[in-house]
Amino acid sequence: MTVERKKIHPYKFSLWLGLAGIIMMFAGLTSAYIVKRSQPGWESFTLPKIFIYSTLVILVSSVTVQVALKAFRERLMAKYRLFFAITAALGLLFISMQIIGFYQFHASGKRMIGLGSNPAYSFVLAIAGLHIVHILGGLVALSIVFFKAFGRKTRNYDVVPVELIATYWHFVDILWVYLFVFFSLLH
Amino acid sequence: MSNEIAVQHGVASHEVHEHHDGHHHHETFITKYVFSQDHKMIAKQFLITGIIWAIIGGLMSVLFRIQLGYPEATFPWLEDIFGHWAKDGKIQPEFFYALGTMHGTILVFFVLTAGLSGTFANLLIPYQIGARDMASPFMNMLSYWFFVLASIILLSSLFVQTGPASGGWTVYPPLSALGDASQGSKIGMDLWLVSLAMFVVSSLLGGLNYVSTILNMRTKGMTMTRMPLTIWALLFTAILGLLSFPVLFSGFILLLFDRHLGTSFYLSDIVLGGNILPNEGGSPILYQHLFWFLGHPEVYIIILPTMGLVSEVMSINARKPIFGYMAMIASMFAIALLAFLVWAHHMFVTGMNPFLGSVFVLLTLLIAVPSAIKVFNWLTTLWRGNIRFTPGMLFCVGFVSMFISGGLTGIFVGNSTLDIHLHDTYFVIAHFHIVMGVSAFMGMFAGVYHWFPKMYGRYMNNTLGYIHFWVTLICAYVIFWPMHYEGFAGMPRRYYDYSGWESFKHFVELNRVISFAAIVSFLVQLLFVFNFFYSIFKGRKVTTLNPWNANTLEWTTPINPGHGNWPGEIPEVHRWAYDYGKDGKDFIPQTEPVSKDESTH
């Protein structure tokens, strides 16, 4: 159906541009964080342990989405569905662990919102919270493509949507790793 | 004639998109006019929505100019319309601030960003690069409907009990962060933030598409350096938007946190109504950094597309190649790059380190170089041209005039020392209204008059166009020139009534002149609106494919193209877009192959 495969698919190109936009958003937030850190009233912190585990979870999910993509390319649809489902489950697990982490953080006296909150802790919630929203976006896209794979009417072997999701998923994964290292080093 | 050549030489490198071709045969009303995925229809949707917003935003300026021009007078009809906002026929202070805020928000974002880029990027990118549609027509449709959503939310904020946001279009905290600080900081402020968030989504979806389409979907032979300057301008605009709007978004998120979750990103040591607030450790300056990191590129998002439109329309109507094509691209690139490095010149008086300030002064004044190159190139394009004074061309000349006047005062306000005096005075208002408001409108009008035949297959009325141009030009100068003078005298912006101030009360009559000109210029814009809608249905019909004798690809399509633009194959491009008056020929379309004995350019 296509003639020129040497060119990058326009959708993929758009995705990369979109990722550049997301990078700018988090760059804005993390640079605000850096500026704020050098001002008086900043309080130092260490993140709860659970964030280490959630980081591992999201890293594993990157592997599973890659396996799913490879399976799709080889038209092993059962395997593709299985690993796509695992990826989605790991994504949900990651989100839950993040939220538990927020509660633990809050419970340890580091108030992120409301009376007596410190911008240092609020930043963790704002930045990591915004990251969760991006994971959720990935999950929605993933579910749409996943349920399309069960459609009985048409057999769809178009690899582009799956590739797009895999790229996005790796991106939000790397984004979290960056944020985690960022919070750990610049607390 | 160019059409046969086009079909002959068009090479089917875009079979992927060929399937769009048949769509327009079985479109319903909904898919054709409402949820359209055709770039041409989306462009018209953006334009008409933008026109509606421009009327609303312009009317707001008329209302606050009534207050400024006639501070003592009462107008009972105002109370009939606005109720308690204009009690006893006088615009109330809260209403005045809300009007100013909404005027800025609407004109900057909804008219000159979405209405301008949305219209011309959608219309011209596929046409001029030779594509059947955008990279993702669906995302393009989403972009428009997110804009509509943002519009509805902002419009709804005008009707809430406490009124719309009223802390200025920049919504600086702490005023915007504390609901108890003013009427406009209550629900109206939340609606403003949500609306602008939707607006950012719309801009990003659009921008992704524009960049992706320009870089990936050009027809055969359309190399980057053969693209018309409109496309280059729209490319830089889209890239600026992609990189700066997300930063604004993050600033808004933190503001929403401060408003609703009791955080202190922007708040510290505040006493409100006699109560000491518990917020500590925040900094309102942080918001200003995040805001102006978008806010400054935003002014180039507004002006760059019009620079492209003007370059194109001017070259066509001067019957000369654009002077310094590569210099035009390079200067737009320089402007786009510098756009990200000058945001702090909006913050010279926030207690910034003077050394840091001097760096930003240097970078700011550097923008004068590419701007001057562009002005020089426009003037030399006009120089000894065989000028056709169409309304579009007049607006191009008006654009250059405005851009020079407004650009020169930019050198004043870009200087951190002078800025101590000029900051927040009418001088600043005059500067940015001329250089980005009126200039951008002039460029936009040039584009509308010029491409109207392509949009609707009819011409706009020329006589009304000439009246529109001359009255607009004269009124713009009558409005904004005196403001420089008021600004030099230290008259601050955003004040409700100057008649009570010993230093400024002698300006009352000057203010009345400005208000009068503002009202006249608003009325003449209504004449344009009438001309626009009347011509859609009753205008003189276009009978030739290429009414302006232009070189670019959009004039090789049928007069009323269907979805897919070219009925046959997409034409192939053999040359740049500016071969006017070359080798004794008036114009040579881009689709015409370069002949052997042709001189090189």
Side-chain angles (χ1 to χ4, degrees), chain B residues 6 41 62 122 131 154 237 342 494 517 547:
Chain B
M41 184 54 68
V62 167
N122 277 309
L154 194 77
T237 306
V342 298
R494 293 189 172 132

Side-chain angles (χ1 to χ4, degrees), chain A residues 65-181:
Chain A
V65 83
Q66 197 58 33
V67 173
L69 175 62
K70 191 163 175 285
F72 189 91
R73 281 194 181 126
E74 292 162 2
R75 309 216 166 159
L76 304 167
M77 298 318 255
K79 190 180 173 194
Y80 151 71
R81 280 179 206 143
L82 174 67
F83 275 87
F84 233 43
I86 294 176
T87 308
L90 288 173
L92 282 174
L93 181 63
F94 171 80
I95 293 176
S96 331
M97 291 169 86
Q98 296 290 87
I99 292 171
I100 294 169
F102 292 148
Y103 276 105
Q104 288 182 357
F105 198 55
H106 206 68
S108 67
K110 300 183 173 62
R111 299 187 63 87
M112 295 185 287
I113 54 170
L115 210 61
S117 61
N118 187 287
Y121 316 138
S122 307
F123 261 120
V124 174
L125 181 65
I127 296 174
L130 202 58
H131 178 259
I132 287 180
V133 174
H134 284 84
I135 296 267
L136 273 177
L139 278 175
V140 169
L142 203 143
S143 320
I144 292 170
V145 174
F146 181 73
F147 286 111
K148 267 191 185 165
F150 286 103
R152 299 240 170 245
K153 282 185 194 150
T154 50
R155 278 183 187 281
N156 195 346
Y157 291 112
D158 184 10
V159 76
V160 172
V162 186
E163 284 178 345
L164 290 176
I165 285 177
T167 308
Y168 181 79
W169 199 264
H170 292 316
F171 170 77
V172 285
D173 177 357
I174 295 165
L175 180 62
W176 171 251
V177 173
Y178 158 70
L179 292 174
F180 182 69
V181 172

Side-chain angles (χ1 to χ4, degrees), chain A residues 3-4 7-8 10-11 13-14 17-18 21 24-25 28-29 32 36 39 112-115 117 119 122-123 125-126 130, chain B residues 13 15 135-136 208 211-212 215-216 242-243 246-247 249-250 253-254 257 261-265 278 280-281 286 290 293:
Chain A
V3 182
E4 296 182 31
K7 266 191 185 173
I8 183 168
Y11 286 5
F13 190 82
S14 301
L17 292 172
M24 284 307 291
M25 180 159 68
L29 285 168
K36 208 81 219 46
Q39 290 176 350
M112 295 185 287
I113 54 170
L115 210 61
S117 61
S122 307
F123 261 120
L125 181 65
L130 202 58
Chain B
S13 62
E15 278 91 340
S136 168
L208 288 176
V211 178
S212 182
L215 295 183
N216 292 301
L242 273 179
L243 296 180
V247 179
F249 196 76
S250 53
I253 286 168
L254 299 187
F257 265 71
L261 297 174
T263 55
S264 313
F265 290 114
E280 260 184 76
L286 181 63
L290 291 173
F293 191 82

Side-chain angles (χ1 to χ4, degrees), chain B residues 440-468:
Chain B
F441 263 103
M442 293 259 170
M444 192 172 172
F445 287 135
V448 173
Y449 281 104
H450 184 82
W451 277 285
F452 192 87
K454 193 71 255 170
M455 281 193 262
Y456 294 102
R458 290 171 188 271
Y459 294 97
M460 288 178 77
N461 183 297
N462 271 4
T463 312
L464 292 181
Y466 293 135
I467 298 171
H468 176 216

Side-chain angles (χ1 to χ4, degrees), chain B residues 225-266:
Chain B
T225 48
R226 281 179 184 168
M227 294 197 308
L229 285 171
T230 36
I231 304 300
W232 272 106
L234 292 164
L235 175 66
F236 286 124
T237 306
I239 293 172
L240 280 181
L242 273 179
L243 296 180
S244 62
F245 270 114
V247 179
L248 178 75
F249 196 76
S250 53
F252 285 168
I253 286 168
L254 299 187
L255 187 54
L256 278 171
F257 265 71
D258 272 6
R259 286 178 62 79
H260 295 293
L261 297 174
T263 55
S264 313
F265 290 114
Y266 303 135

Side-chain angles (χ1 to χ4, degrees), chain B residues 54-70:
Chain B
I55 297 170
I56 297 173
L59 188 63
M60 288 173 163
S61 72
V62 167
L63 289 173
F64 64 69
R65 274 320 310 186
I66 287 178
Q67 162 61 26
L68 291 171
Y70 305 91

